[in-house]
Amino acid sequence: MLSLENQIVLITGASSGIGAACAKFFAGAGAKLILAARRFDRLQQLVEELNKNFATEIYSLQLDVRDLAVVESVISELPPPWSDIDILINNAGLSRGLEKFHEANIQDWEEMIDTNIKGLLYLTRFVVPGMVSRDRGHVVNIGSIAGHQTYPNGNVYCGTKAAVKAITEGLKQDLLGTSIRVTSVDPGMVETEFSEVRFHGDTERAKKVYQGVTPLTPDDVADVILFCVTRPAHVNINEVILMPVDQASATLIDRKQ
Ligand code: NDP
Ligand code: 8X3
């Protein structure tokens, strides 16, 4: 098992859900964390909580992954103790809307494409060259079962996660000959702020998504990510699909009520 002691781990979307759980799990494993998100107050709260429980060093970044110029400058201007990123977790992402294609809001499409695809590309493009020059590193992309199977009204969100799948495969191919590892972790239903964001703050509708099922928790996903990055250096876990026991596909869900 590989030690994460003092490894520098950049987690995007660390202010909530899976990203925040990863911060906790990686802090517990002794990694040094760069935590990025737009909501800086939420990041600060998380940092305070982590500082109470772990002796880890944390650098927080207020960052919108959609902003190419800012992503480039933030990554290239990281202070020297933080600049050699060992692990990049491309987790920032969202869904917006669940409507038929011909009725969907185009702004929602733009936001999903800009965040889930272009944001992931920007971070990866600016972090990976350093990994290549040091010949060490691991990129973990958070995909989804939505990248493997399209469901009704999921159209563009599913398209963005299918893109993450293809981009992950392409990156792995292009890094052949280096020691850098590339993994996609693709969950099914995880109870986070995801559905609240999808339904533009409609919490009642969001709650119904998880009604009568035991969904995955953010910790379940962080645990799998930690497993992937701590395998021996010659082992690359290309892809992990994980779902709750109560789920068999994006649309086949066993609700108890
Ligand atoms: P949350 O809504 O709880 O967390 C999403 C995170 O992404 C937040 O920290 C948010 O931070 C960040 N984020 C969103 N847009 C941006 C942006 N433009 N720049 C920087 N950060 C951003 O949802 P999850 O934890 O569930 O989602 C994490 C990832 O997991 C996403 O990629 C999602 O698609 C994927 N996923 C989720 C599943 C689920 O069922 N929950 C299942 C499969 C995959 P802030 O708003 O502060 O910027
Ligand atoms: C999140 C899971 O099934 O809502 O990617 O698309 S799903």
Side-chain angles (χ1 to χ4, degrees):
M1 184 170 139
L2 258 184
S3 167
L4 294 184
E5 207 62 45
N6 291 321
Q7 292 219 31
I8 298 175
V9 182
L10 167 54
I11 304 169
T12 66
S15 61
S16 170
I18 296 168
C22 285
K24 196 174 60 181
F25 274 61
F26 280 76
K32 290 165 72 174
L33 304 179
I34 305 176
L35 304 181
R38 292 166 302 175
R39 288 171 296 174
F40 202 63
D41 53 328
R42 291 275 296 256
L43 276 185
Q44 291 305 97
Q45 278 172 24
L46 176 64
V47 170
E48 274 176 36
E49 194 189 312
L50 293 173
N51 282 336
K52 275 189 213 146
N53 297 303
F54 306 101
T56 189
E57 288 175 58
I58 305 172
Y59 186 82
S60 346
L61 279 178
Q62 183 165 30
L63 178 69
D64 186 333
V65 297
R66 295 171 296 179
D67 192 328
L68 170 61
V70 171
V71 173
E72 179 172 22
S73 67
V74 151
I75 298 300
S76 63
E77 288 162 20
L78 279 170
W82 293 98
S83 56
D84 292 353
I85 295 165
D86 295 298
I87 299 171
L88 167 63
I89 303 182
N90 278 315
N91 163 75
L94 79 183
S95 67
R96 286 292 199 192
L98 190 65
E99 277 101 34
K100 285 190 187 300
F101 186 96
H102 56 283
E103 292 165 357
N105 178 326
I106 291 177
Q107 267 313 110
D108 284 350
W109 290 358
E110 305 277 10
E111 198 177 350
M112 290 187 282
I113 291 167
D114 288 350
T115 310
N116 301 358
I117 305 178
K118 292 168 75 178
L120 177 143
L121 288 172
Y122 298 160
L123 262 297
T124 309
R125 181 63 183 82
F126 296 119
V127 170
V128 166
M131 291 180 171
V132 171
S133 66
R134 294 185 292 280
D135 197 28
R136 58 178 279 143
H138 197 151
V139 178
V140 180
N141 291 334
I142 308 306
S144 168
I145 57 166
H148 298 262
Q149 47 190 225
T150 303
Y151 50 84
N153 302 328
N155 44 66
V156 171
Y157 177 71
C158 298
T160 65
K161 291 300 183 177
V164 170
K165 182 177 186 299
I167 289 162
T168 308
E169 287 167 7
L171 182 64
K172 171 80 177 91
Q173 290 168 14
D174 293 345
L175 288 171
L176 193 65
T178 75
S179 305
I180 300 157
R181 304 191 288 176
V182 184
T183 298
S184 176
V185 173
D186 301 349
M189 184 187 282
V190 191
E191 190 164 9
T192 63
E193 292 174 20
F194 177 85
S195 294
E196 227 178 292
V197 172
R198 165 168 261 175
F199 301 131
H200 293 278
D202 183 342
T203 45
E204 283 314 303
R205 191 172 175 200
K207 262 192 236 153
K208 287 195 185 123
V209 173
Y210 311 105
Q211 225 163 40
V213 295
T214 305
L216 296 174
T217 66
D219 283 6
D220 294 328
V221 183
D223 188 35
V224 167
I225 296 168
L226 191 67
F227 175 83
C228 293
V229 302
T230 51
R231 292 313 87 210
H234 68 285
V235 178
N236 192 90
I237 298 193
N238 292 30
E239 179 179 277
V240 181
I241 301 177
L242 67 154
M243 283 185 207
V245 171
D246 289 347
Q247 182 175 32
S249 78
T251 50
L252 260 180
I253 295 164
D254 179 31
R255 296 195 190 270
K256 305 289 189 234
Q257 57 193 43

